[in-house]
């Protein structure tokens, strides 16, 4: 006769029997290591996997774009053919880390200095303060959590930063972009001159022993042993302080090891090599590449040229296209090195690699991406702006599914639910629900619940996890295969296989594509109105007026050339999607994010000249002993910024 189990064991057995099969599977299976790779502004045609060599310039395109590591990972994994993000970066990144659709968390690029003190939860850039981040979920499940690279999901308070969202360590930058060689945030990086006059550096190290900017001493730990020669008093020029290949002047050039992406690569390799293999690892590597400014070490440009010559191609006729190709090569090599490090550490067989981009490629100059054959690019809701390069790979992929192409719809918000499910934790955000009780009493916007659809079973089984309408943006909705695109859409154009090219540059003044003048060119937080006639703006921004919505079947018509909205056969679908979009827009999350605050500048001066959190930071930063150079910089900065505060800001409208 078998003795009865102790009461505690019996209770545990009963609990296990009552668990759903998915939870039992998660409890039994080892938790996979997660290597989440996020590219920035990665064009559809700038990935070698999408270049089959056909077409009038197919061979030349193959010669220029070389991404063998990404291609191999895709072939060994599952390509996600219908992965959708938002049309610009910060909303996509906020969606990824919070599990909300972009329209339910953050759908605007807001500057780091903006603050609304009346709303301590949602009154600043990025993810609202009380939403639980993806890393916090995985940390709860026992993961070691590390982030390297671009954040762009808020940094007004410590809670908004990566460490406030659950990452144990962070090496990278907070804003849309910075200079690859000097880490400042001049106009060429962000398209704006902020209230701090773009004076400060955005490059940080946050961990258990240090919280602050990357000093020369710290940079040496990542391989850079040379002064970047950053001039804090020369930041309001429209051009960077260095050449694209890192030369400050004819006699002083920074070495390849001081390229920001080279340092980020070294940091990520440090994380992998130092990891205890008995514990699950979550490494979020979010590359600066391929965002502007277009900068890359000279050696990569030479390698692009050499490969083109070896393949029998012609020299690239666009400087920016050549730079972009070299940056794609650098990104690919970084991914390859991270994969090899995971294999050397013995982690690969239980690793899930997730790769995607935060939006489609920017086809304006100087963005210089190419989304051929898709229509449009970054800032638009055309496929070229929101359908991104994406795949899953690694030893965790079931062998029978490797090499497949998944055609189900996946949102960038869905990774939150997927990793939570694999880690065995609930995706529900209890902290946000608790915050809503207080927000309701204050009459402030309530936080939206998690929208994420756990997609793992759909990816493995090849089923569509989002058969219903997907709220893409305030101007687009997708119920596959039908997609509604409404409103005014910028960059409504098609690129050729070789783009940009000489004719692109020659035609910018009359037919575009120009910089995102309607969205991103700011002075002290205010959008610059250049006073151009509407016809001129329409032409150089390639604007298509879609009204209440044009309808496309993106399965049969992936390049969105056949508008079905006037076809009586599709009248019902058209009306349903227009109604869906109108209903979705009634519930968009649009808190008052505030106005630019000088506090961001004053705190940056106190911590050595680094942008970062500036609210509730009394116990956040490590103590800083300012150098003589920093003290001198602060004297100049105080004089300049006091003038901004007292004279320019009060008369901001006149200045614009």
């Amino acid at each position: 006769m078998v003795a009865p189990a102790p009461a505690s064991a019996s209770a545990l057995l009963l609990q296990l029997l009552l668990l759903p099969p998915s939870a039992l599977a998660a409890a039994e299976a080892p938790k996979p290591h997660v290597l989440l790779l996020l590219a920035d502004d990665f064009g559809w045609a700038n990935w070698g996997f999408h270049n089959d060599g056909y077409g009038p310039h197919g061979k030349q395109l193959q010669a220029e774009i070389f991404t063998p590591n990404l291609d191999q990972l895709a072939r060994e994994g599952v390509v996600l053919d219908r992965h959708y993000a938002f049309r610009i970066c910060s909303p996509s990144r906020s969606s990824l880390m919070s599990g909300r659709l972009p329209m339910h968390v953050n759908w605007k690029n807001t500057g780091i200095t903006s603050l609304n003190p009346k709303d301590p939860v949602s009154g600043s850039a990025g993810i609202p303060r009380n939403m639980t981040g993806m890393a916090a979920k995985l940390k709860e499940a026992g993961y070691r959590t590390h982030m390297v690279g671009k954040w762009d999901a808020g940094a007004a308070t410590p809670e908004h930063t990566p460490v406030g969202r659950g990452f144990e360590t962070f090496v990278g930058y907070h804003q849309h972009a910075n200079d690859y060689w000097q880490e400042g945030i001049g106009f060429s990086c962000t398209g704006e001159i902020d209230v701090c006059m773009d004076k400060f550096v955005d490059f940080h190290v946050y961990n258990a022993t240090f919280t602050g900017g990357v000093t020369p001493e710290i940079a040496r730990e990542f391989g850079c042993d040379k002064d970047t020669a950053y001039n804090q008093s020369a930041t309001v020029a429209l051009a960077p302080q260095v050449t694209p290949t890192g030369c400050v002047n004819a006699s002083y050039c920074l070495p390849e090891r001081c390229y920001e992406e080279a340092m980020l690569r070294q940091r990520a390799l440090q994380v992998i090599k130092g990891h205890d293999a008995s514990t699950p690892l979550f490494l979020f590597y979010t590359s600066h590449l391929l965002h502007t400014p277009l900068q890359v070490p000279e050696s990569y440009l030479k390698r692009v040229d050499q490969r083109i010559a070896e393949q029998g191609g012609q020299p690239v006729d666009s400087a920016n296209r050549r730079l972009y190709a070299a940056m794609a090569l650098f990104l690919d090599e970084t991914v390859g090195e991270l994969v090899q490090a995971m294999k050397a550490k013995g982690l690969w067989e239980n690793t899930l690699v997730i790769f995607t981009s935060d939006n489609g490629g920017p086809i304006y100059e100087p963005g210089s991406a190419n989304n051929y054959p898709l229509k449009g690019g970054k800032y638009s809701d055309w496929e070229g702006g929101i359908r991104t390069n994406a795949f899953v790979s690694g030893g965790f992929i079931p062998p029978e599914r490797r090499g497949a192409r998944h055609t189900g719809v996946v949102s960038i918000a869905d990774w939150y639910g997927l990793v939570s499910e694999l880690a065995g934790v609930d995706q529900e955000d209890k902290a946000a629900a608790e915050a809503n009780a207080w927000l309701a009493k204050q009459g402030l916007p309530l936080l939206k619940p998690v929208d994420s659809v756990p997609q793992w079973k759909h990816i493995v089984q090849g089923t569509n996890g989002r058969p219903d309408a997907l709220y893409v943006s305030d101007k687009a909705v997708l119920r596959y295969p039908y997609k509604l695109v409404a409103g005014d859409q910028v960059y409504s154009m098609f690129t050729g296989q070789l783009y940009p090219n000489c004719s692109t540059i020659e035609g910018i003044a009359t037919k575009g594509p120009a910089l995102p003048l309607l969205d991103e060119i700011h002075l002290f937080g205010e959008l610059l109105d250049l006073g151009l006639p509407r016809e001129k703006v329409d032409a150089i921004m390639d604007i298509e007026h879609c009204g209440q919505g044009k309808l496309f079947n993106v399965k049969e018509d992936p390049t969105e050339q056949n508008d079905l909205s006037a076809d009586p056969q599709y009248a019902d679908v058209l009306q349903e999607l227009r109604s869906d979009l109108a209903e979705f827009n009634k519930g968009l999350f649009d808190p008052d994010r505030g106005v630019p605050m000088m506090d961001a500048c004053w705190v940056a001066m106190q911590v050595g000249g680094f942008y970062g959190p500036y609210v509730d930071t009394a116990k956040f930063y490590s103590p800083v002993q300012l150098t003589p150079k920093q003290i001198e910089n602060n004297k100049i900065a105080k004089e300049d910024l006091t003038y901004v505060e007292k004279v320019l800001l009060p008369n901001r409208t006149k200045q614009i």
Side-chain angles (χ1 to χ4, degrees), residues 312-329:
Q314 297 297 313
V316 181
D317 65 352
S318 161
N320 282 346
R321 190 170 92 231
R322 180 170 173 254
L323 284 165
Y324 196 103
M327 293 166 75
L329 177 60

Side-chain angles (χ1 to χ4, degrees), residues 465-655:
R466 283 190 174 273
D468 299 326
L470 171 63
Y471 188 21
V472 174
S473 80
D474 57 321
K475 296 188 284 190
V477 63
L478 172 72
R479 192 179 71 199
Y480 191 74
Y482 297 105
K483 177 183 172 188
L484 183 79
V485 181
D488 290 351
Q489 295 289 337
V490 297
Y491 307 122
S492 300
M493 57 177 284
F494 297 93
T495 62
Q497 287 181 298
L498 302 182
Y499 181 89
N501 49 54
C502 290
S503 63
T504 310
I505 306 301
E506 292 169 357
I508 281 181
T510 56
K511 61 180 182 179
L515 285 165
L517 304 174
L518 304 182
D519 298 273
E520 293 299 327
I521 311 302
H522 290 84
L523 174 63
F524 304 152
E526 289 282 340
L527 187 66
L528 282 171
D529 182 356
L530 301 181
L532 297 174
R534 182 59 193 238
E535 297 77 14
K536 178 76 169 180
V537 173
D538 281 3
I540 64 175
M541 296 293 293
D542 297 281
I543 294 175
E544 183 172 335
H545 304 290
C546 299
Q548 289 184 296
K550 295 184 177 183
L551 182 67
F552 301 91
N553 182 327
V554 292
K555 180 180 180 180
E556 298 179 359
D557 177 27
T559 57
E560 297 170 296
Q561 298 190 56
N562 183 22
D563 176 18
L564 305 173
S565 61
D567 189 332
Q569 180 182 347
Y570 300 98
D572 290 344
V573 175
L574 176 66
Q575 185 55 46
E576 288 169 6
L577 291 186
R578 284 178 173 174
S579 296
D580 284 342
L581 182 59
E583 192 62 29
F584 283 142
N585 281 338
K586 291 178 183 178
L588 63 79
F589 182 68
D590 192 23
D592 179 358
R593 303 281 184 172
V595 296
M597 304 288 281
M598 298 301 298
D599 289 353
C601 316
W602 309 138
V603 172
M605 291 166 59
Q606 295 169 15
V607 298
F610 295 93
Y611 286 100
Y614 54 93
V615 178
D616 299 336
T617 59
K619 298 181 180 180
F620 181 67
Y621 290 106
S622 296
V624 175
Q625 184 67 44
L626 296 179
T627 65
K629 180 180 178 181
Q630 289 170 334
I631 293 172
E632 182 60 28
N633 281 339
N634 280 352
K635 290 180 181 178
I636 299 171
K638 185 171 183 181
E639 182 177 343
D640 291 345
L641 298 180
T642 298
Y643 183 75
V644 170
E645 182 180 38
K646 303 297 185 183
V647 179
L648 298 184
L649 272 182
N651 297 284
R652 178 169 47 183
T653 303
K654 292 180 181 179
Q655 299 299 324

